[in-house]
Amino acid sequence: MELIGVGIDLVDVARVERMLDRHAERVLQRFLTAGEQAYVRATHRPAMHLAARIAAKEAAYKALQALPGARGIGWQQLEVERETEGRPSLKLLGLARELMLRHGPLRVELSLSHSERTAGAVAVVVRDAS
């Protein structure tokens, strides 16, 4: 396995709460895919889960910057999903998917964490041995 890139990000939950208080619909549509929006809306603390997804997307974006052309990846091209065991994973769409296929086989390992105040994520992009 070859390490391609690592990214980390932290997001202040209170800041996300303020964003949601002011512009909830616009914020959700800007940062999240339809599937992510449904998940976040169904949670007890939407701001905490939105903050974790923003952190995950920022961390993945940073990790993907080792690939030529990755600067064009947008919020809607990275989707945080939950596997059946609850483990987070990242679904790549659009340009993100194209780059992963072009430079692959690549995969993104994702770890999320949050407290009452902060959400964080680490993303690691690796190339599997062929």
Side-chain angles (χ1 to χ4, degrees):
M1 167 173 25
E2 176 187 358
L3 177 66
I4 302 300
V6 177
I8 185 171
D9 198 67
L10 297 172
V11 175
D12 181 65
V13 174
R15 180 170 179 245
V16 173
E17 286 174 338
R18 289 189 302 273
M19 289 170 37
L20 287 173
D21 287 344
R22 290 185 199 125
H23 309 287
E25 203 55 40
R26 186 168 51 177
V27 168
L28 292 172
Q29 289 179 5
R30 176 176 182 214
F31 290 109
L32 303 180
T33 64
E36 290 171 316
Q37 288 179 45
Y39 174 79
V40 166
R41 289 177 201 274
T43 64
H44 177 66
R45 295 265 329 263
M48 185 182 299
H49 295 279
L50 173 57
R53 276 144 186 78
I54 291 171
K57 291 178 184 211
E58 281 288 337
Y61 179 82
K62 291 171 184 176
L64 290 165
Q65 291 309 297
L67 302 176
R71 289 192 63 115
I73 295 172
W75 295 107
Q76 298 294 322
Q77 296 172 353
L78 302 168
E79 182 175 22
V80 178
E81 297 181 317
R82 290 174 50 114
E83 295 178 2
T84 54
E85 311 85 34
R87 181 175 177 246
S89 63
L90 194 66
K91 182 177 180 180
L92 303 169
L93 307 163
L95 176 60
R97 181 171 166 71
E98 290 174 27
L99 290 172
M100 293 292 275
L101 293 172
R102 184 181 317 145
H103 299 287
L106 302 179
R107 63 186 160 86
V108 179
E109 294 293 332
L110 183 63
S111 180
L112 304 179
S113 185
H114 50 69
S115 68
E116 291 294 316
R117 295 180 176 195
T118 307
V122 174
V124 179
V125 177
V126 295
R127 177 177 289 121
D128 291 323
S130 300

